[in-house]
Amino acid sequence: MFELDKVGKIYEMRNERVEAVIDVSLKVSEGDIFGIIGFSGAGKSSLIRLMNLLDRPTSGSVRLKGRDLTDMPSAELRATRQSIAMIFQHFNLINNKTVSANVSFPLEIARFPHAEREARVRECLSIVGLLDKLHAYPATLSGGQKQRVAIARAMANRPSVLLCDEPTSALDPHSSQEILDFLLKVNRELGVTIVIVTHQMSIVNEICNKVGVMEAGRLVETFSLANRAYQPVTDIGRLLTRHRDSSFNTQVESRRAYA
């Protein structure tokens, strides 16, 4: 569904040349919750911004359902981006707009009719359990509620892919768990493919079915968490696979059933 082929990104900073992403090839299948994990500075956030061309790759190609985003005319790329949503660590809500207006914002840009926008806003807020906050402002919400609004806004255009850049890093443990539950719900009930960037192994173990490990701008290994025969080559990979036991699988299945 989502394919990166030898993608690279170089930033020119004054007299410094920084290779943030180096020759990354990656395939994300439809229905995956694909985790990209690594330490700070590994290139994770740079990579996810290349996946929807918020940043344009210096080299390589990005394909969605076989279509090369890096070779699209601007108008076609804007239209295609509507199927790729993104949520961020710090929510990026518009503080002087209500919850309803925040969720409606991408629909206004896409010129949806007013009645359709209202119905879709209510539907999306219902998904994240915040219909009662329709007329509230972001300043009155908790961190977890703000991120749930961000998820609702991301789902407004009915995307096929949701990119998540450290979506729980700014939240307390209870709110983090709520967000993971809602991401599972979006994936399982709505069929949305999710790519989640994180430095937290607990998140990968909680909801991801596949994982890629990044180090110094390179994707050094990828594997399915269900593949018990796989022997990781990185320290992070080895730590992740230590949790692939029956109790872990039972926990994941119970959470998916709940979500």
Side-chain angles (χ1 to χ4, degrees), residues 90-103 130 133-150 153:
H90 296 295
F91 325 128
N92 287 6
L93 300 181
I94 305 170
N95 290 325
N96 65 350
K97 289 183 177 290
T98 64
V99 166
S100 174
N102 267 276
V103 177
L130 287 178
K133 301 296 184 181
L134 194 69
H135 303 298
Y137 284 86
T140 68
L141 305 179
S142 69
Q145 288 173 329
K146 289 176 182 177
Q147 193 61 291
R148 284 155 64 186
V149 173
R153 180 181 59 187

Side-chain angles (χ1 to χ4, degrees), residues 21-109:
V21 177
I22 306 169
D23 201 30
V24 169
S25 295
L26 171 67
K27 291 183 180 181
V28 179
S29 299
E30 188 170 359
D32 277 347
I33 304 182
F34 196 111
I36 299 174
I37 190 168
F39 298 115
S40 295
K44 309 181 302 296
S45 291
S46 294
L47 180 64
I48 204 169
R49 290 176 63 87
L50 299 177
M51 294 180 80
N52 62 355
L53 268 66
L54 280 179
D55 284 341
R56 184 167 284 274
T58 307
S59 58
S61 64
V62 179
R63 293 185 177 87
L64 176 63
K65 297 181 179 178
R67 301 170 66 198
D68 189 350
L69 304 186
T70 52
D71 196 37
M72 282 184 179
S74 297
E76 186 179 359
L77 178 60
R78 284 195 299 271
T80 301
R81 273 195 183 129
Q82 292 182 22
S83 66
I84 309 170
M86 190 165 184
I87 59 173
F88 302 87
Q89 179 180 355
H90 296 295
F91 325 128
N92 287 6
L93 300 181
I94 305 170
N95 290 325
N96 65 350
K97 289 183 177 290
T98 64
V99 166
S100 174
N102 267 276
V103 177
S104 180
F105 186 66
L107 300 175
E108 292 177 26
I109 293 175

Side-chain angles (χ1 to χ4, degrees), residues 132-236:
D132 61 323
K133 301 296 184 181
L134 194 69
H135 303 298
Y137 284 86
T140 68
L141 305 179
S142 69
Q145 288 173 329
K146 289 176 182 177
Q147 193 61 291
R148 284 155 64 186
V149 173
I151 293 172
R153 180 181 59 187
M155 298 309 300
N157 271 328
R158 291 188 171 90
S160 57
V161 179
L162 178 60
L163 307 179
C164 307
D165 189 3
E166 299 277 9
T168 65
S169 292
L171 304 177
D172 61 78
H174 175 74
S175 297
S176 295
Q177 191 60 65
E178 281 189 339
I179 296 306
L180 295 181
D181 288 342
F182 283 114
L183 290 177
L184 275 172
K185 184 177 182 178
V186 164
N187 174 259
R188 299 303 170 190
E189 295 185 10
L190 303 181
V192 176
T193 300
I194 296 176
V195 179
I196 182 167
V197 158
T198 183
H199 64 274
Q200 298 173 284
M201 285 184 283
S202 59
I203 290 178
V204 174
N205 278 328
E206 182 78 20
I207 67 170
C208 296
N209 66 312
K210 295 176 185 174
V211 62
V213 181
M214 288 198 74
E215 293 181 355
R218 297 184 184 275
L219 189 67
V220 291
E221 71 175 329
T222 61
F223 59 94
S224 166
L225 290 167
N227 182 2
R228 293 178 177 275
Y230 180 76
Q231 297 297 315
V233 299
T234 64
D235 289 340
I236 290 176

